[in-house]
Amino acid sequence: MIVPVDKTNLADAAAVHAAAWRDSHRAFCSPALIESHTAERQAAYLGRKADAGSRIFLLIDDVPVGVVSVTGNLIEDLYVLPNRQGHGYGTKLLRYAASVCDGTPTLWILENNTGARRLYERSGFSETGNRKITPGGLDEIEFAQREDCMETERLLIDRVRESDREDRFN
């Protein structure tokens, strides 16, 4: 189940974010930076994002296992606990986040994040050509969801969105 993050579950979202961030950045960040990403620090970060208008969501499967944030059409902070990866949770979070975006969903990844690249490309995202050059040498690459729709004079076939749920059964 995916639920919005509020004050009652912010600590859970922050714990997931901190654990997954530390694991995903361990190979190329200093030990001091890794250890500084505590659940408390990530709670403050997520709280600031929410205060600035981002929507944050927590995926729960008996226990909290993943988190994602959406700001307009930008998907960020998609993290799944290391011991829960490979079970479809990332795909589920990504699809949900894309369904609540305001416009074409976009996201940025570090160029060395091959796992995220595979997930996003399997889910219909492709590189836009935009890059953010970072001082540390790892650039960020922008991805956008491809517009997989077909239109004729009398027919429009488009991807299903979460907002279409009621229309599917009416």
Side-chain angles (χ1 to χ4, degrees):
M1 141 175 68
I2 298 176
V3 299
V5 171
D6 58 25
K7 290 182 192 310
T8 65
N9 58 4
L10 178 62
D12 290 334
V16 168
H17 191 290
W21 189 97
R22 286 193 307 265
D23 184 72
S24 68
H25 288 68
R26 193 170 307 282
F28 55 90
C29 290
S30 71
L33 182 58
I34 295 297
E35 295 312 313
S36 73
H37 277 73
T38 63
E40 294 79 18
R41 178 178 171 178
Q42 298 315 106
Y45 164 75
L46 293 174
R48 285 190 304 273
K49 285 191 71 132
D51 290 344
S54 293
R55 295 174 290 165
I56 304 165
F57 303 97
L58 183 64
L59 187 147
I60 302 169
D61 187 12
D62 295 327
V63 297
V65 297
V67 65
V68 67
S69 70
V70 177
T71 308
N73 69 324
L74 180 63
I75 299 170
E76 298 180 294
D77 305 303
L78 197 160
Y79 290 103
V80 175
L81 288 175
N83 65 344
R84 295 297 189 102
Q85 293 175 6
H87 300 285
Y89 295 123
T91 300
K92 188 172 186 177
L93 276 169
L94 180 60
R95 285 181 182 157
Y96 184 84
S99 77
V100 300
C101 281
D102 301 332
T104 302
T106 61
L107 50 88
W108 291 84
I109 66 166
L110 289 173
E111 64 184 339
N112 68 338
N113 195 340
T114 56
R117 176 186 287 273
R118 279 192 308 272
L119 168 66
Y120 301 143
E121 288 175 343
R122 274 193 325 263
S123 299
F125 284 76
S126 58
E127 287 188 47
T128 65
N130 294 328
R131 291 177 84 84
K132 291 181 186 174
I133 309 300
T134 62
L138 284 176
D139 293 348
E140 289 184 86
I141 303 168
E142 184 183 43
F143 281 71
Q145 190 170 51
R146 293 185 305 272
E147 291 296 325
D148 296 331
C149 76
M150 182 176 72
E151 188 170 0
T152 69
E153 185 178 15
R154 298 183 311 155
L155 178 67
L156 172 66
I157 300 173
D158 196 357
R159 66 183 175 89
V160 177
R161 293 177 177 81
E162 185 67 25
S163 59
D164 298 330
R165 181 183 298 218
E166 285 186 4
D167 292 339
R168 285 185 231 159
F169 299 104
N170 290 335

